[in-house]
Amino acid sequence: MTDVIVSGTVAVVATWWWHQFPWGGLLFGCLAGGVLMWRRHRPLPVLAAVMVLCAIAAVVQVHGTRLHVGMSLVTLGFALYAVLVYVPNFLMAAGAGLATLLFSAALVMMRPPPWLGWRRFELLDALEAFGQVAAFSAVIWAAALIVRLIQQQRTIAQERRAGAKRDRMHLAQIAVAEERTRIARELHDIVAHSLSVIVLHANGASYVLDQDPGEAREALQTISMTGRDALAEIQQLVEHLRSDAGDAGGPSQAVPEQIETVVERARGAGLAVDLVVDGVAPAMPGGVALAVTRIVQESLTNTLKHAGRHPVATVHVWYRPDAIEVEVEDDGRGAAPPRPGGFGLVGMRERAQLYGGKFVAGPRADGGWRVRASIPIGGAAERAVEV
């Protein structure tokens, strides 16, 4: 609507200003107004086209009259304003503005009243014409620069809002990815261990069902108990994930009991496990306690899966004032090559490193497999989580 109003105003004013030859004024106004319709999108070509129109109109004389030079300056003013506001490169816009100023000064200086004819170039006349046009141009420059500054501030504010929105989305995506990894790690540790025990006992029960129903019944009871324990752990996991605190359980004194429970489950699955404990368990964050328990659980699960028939495993736990160390080793045939996308060793290493600990896993020199982890307790673990 603004473009239509500007173009229509130029056509009407040009017709009125060349009232001695209204058709010429209307023609100039329509051409200039039509060109100015594109001044927002093509400001430099529009300015050049307006200069050409003004130069052509300056030499047209009908019945001793010409288009008033003021009309040319007004038309050039609209085009110059668009250049100063909409051209992205300010140096280019300033250069076009200076060229327009010089062109307008020349147009004023060379356009005396028709009855005096064309005058010769004189320095004083040129300076006078330049001063007159400069005053007119200064008003246009001031208005255009104010509008340009406002537009730049709006653009900067929009970019900042867009950048802040992108940052929030990026942080949200990171948080979602971390939460998914956390859930996947917990579910892997719970489900993999429980299903390994259930599958082993189910196979055993199926094998001895006809020969020894009592042993098959014991295996089924172990399957039922393992399933109930897995459901209880999943419920605890859901409650932990729904809580706002990162360590919902707070400080934990139950690490020995948790490790003993895991060892007993492994024994129930047919794995010969020795548990050796040195020291007294100190108070530790719930996350550290969970990490230690899961490392032992995953290590024994891998032994059940990969160590072969009748393996013997040893779980050694050292409780120190500033750290807890755990080592799980077996005399089996060693772990199978890790599958792509597996969570076992990767999950154990992530748990240890999350609290600033160390993790090492690999085959023993005399056969079997060894897993060793050391996790700091207290300030060291808290600093690791903050980092």
Side-chain angles (χ1 to χ4, degrees):
M1 183 60 67
T2 302
D3 295 337
V4 172
I5 292 175
V6 170
S7 298
T9 301
V10 169
V12 172
V13 173
T15 305
W16 171 80
W17 221 324
W18 204 355
H19 57 86
Q20 299 91 345
F21 184 48
W23 291 109
L26 179 62
L27 178 61
F28 174 84
C30 291
L31 292 176
V35 172
L36 289 174
M37 288 288 293
W38 299 93
R39 71 187 188 283
R40 299 175 187 267
H41 307 288
R42 297 291 186 271
L44 289 175
V46 167
L47 178 61
V50 169
M51 285 183 176
V52 172
L53 283 175
C54 291
I56 294 174
V59 300
V60 174
Q61 180 173 331
V62 179
H63 305 303
T65 63
R66 301 193 187 102
L67 178 66
H68 197 282
V69 69
M71 187 65 233
S72 298
L73 294 180
V74 170
T75 309
L76 288 169
F78 281 120
L80 175 61
Y81 174 87
V83 168
L84 295 176
V85 172
Y86 300 113
V87 171
N89 190 331
F90 182 73
L91 292 179
M92 185 179 297
L98 180 59
T100 305
L101 177 61
L102 296 176
F103 175 81
S104 301
L107 193 65
V108 171
M109 183 191 66
M110 300 300 293
R111 283 290 307 276
W115 56 86
L116 295 180
W118 294 95
R119 71 175 75 173
R120 294 180 304 173
F121 176 80
E122 294 183 6
L123 182 59
L124 292 178
D125 294 338
L127 293 176
E128 181 181 359
F130 185 84
Q132 294 174 356
V133 175
F136 175 72
S137 179
V139 176
I140 298 175
W141 273 74
L145 292 180
I146 291 174
V147 174
R148 186 184 183 96
L149 179 61
I150 294 174
Q151 290 182 349
Q152 288 179 347
Q153 290 177 344
R154 289 179 179 175
T155 302
I156 293 173
Q158 291 176 356
E159 291 177 353
R160 287 179 178 175
R161 288 194 295 268
K165 183 178 180 180
R166 287 193 299 268
D167 292 341
R168 289 195 298 270
M169 293 179 61
H170 183 62
L171 292 176
Q173 291 173 354
I174 293 176
V176 170
E178 291 178 350
E179 190 67 12
R180 287 179 177 175
T181 303
R182 179 185 176 194
I183 295 173
R185 183 169 58 235
E186 294 293 341
L187 287 178
H188 172 269
D189 292 343
I190 295 172
V191 176
H193 173 76
S194 301
L195 287 182
S196 297
V197 174
I198 289 173
V199 169
L200 288 173
H201 280 82
N203 291 335
S206 176
Y207 181 74
V208 301
L209 180 62
D210 296 329
Q211 292 82 7
D212 192 347
E215 186 174 351
R217 186 179 299 106
E218 292 180 359
L220 292 176
Q221 291 175 352
T222 303
I223 291 174
S224 176
M225 181 182 64
T226 303
R228 287 196 301 269
D229 292 342
L231 286 176
E233 290 187 9
I234 290 177
Q235 289 176 352
Q236 292 177 359
L237 172 61
V238 172
E239 293 177 358
H240 178 67
L241 293 174
R242 285 179 175 177
S243 64
D244 294 332
D247 253 338
S252 173
Q253 295 279 3
V255 180
E257 290 81 357
Q258 295 177 16
I259 294 178
E260 289 178 3
T261 301
V262 172
V263 170
E264 288 299 326
R265 288 183 187 174
R267 288 171 180 167
L271 177 63
V273 185
D274 293 329
L275 176 61
V276 180
V277 178
D278 291 341
V280 179
M284 66 186 71
V288 173
L290 181 63
V292 172
T293 304
R294 293 304 188 207
I295 289 174
V296 174
Q297 184 183 60
E298 180 64 23
S299 300
L300 294 179
T301 301
N302 288 340
T303 299
L304 283 169
K305 289 181 179 180
H306 308 298
R309 299 184 61 183
H310 309 299
V312 176
T314 301
V315 178
H316 200 155
V317 182
W318 293 270
Y319 294 116
R320 310 188 190 283
D322 60 345
I324 178 172
E325 298 182 12
V326 59
E327 181 181 78
V328 182
E329 56 183 0
D330 62 64
D331 60 354
R333 64 190 181 190
R339 300 187 309 273
F343 289 98
L345 295 178
V346 175
M348 289 189 285
R349 180 174 289 106
E350 287 181 352
R351 287 186 181 277
Q353 293 178 349
L354 178 63
Y355 295 96
K358 299 179 181 179
F359 176 85
V360 178
R364 297 167 45 187
D366 55 349
W369 190 264
R370 177 185 290 114
V371 172
R372 187 179 182 91
S374 175
I375 301 177
I377 299 174
E382 293 174 1
R383 288 192 298 271
V385 173
E386 290 176 359
V387 173

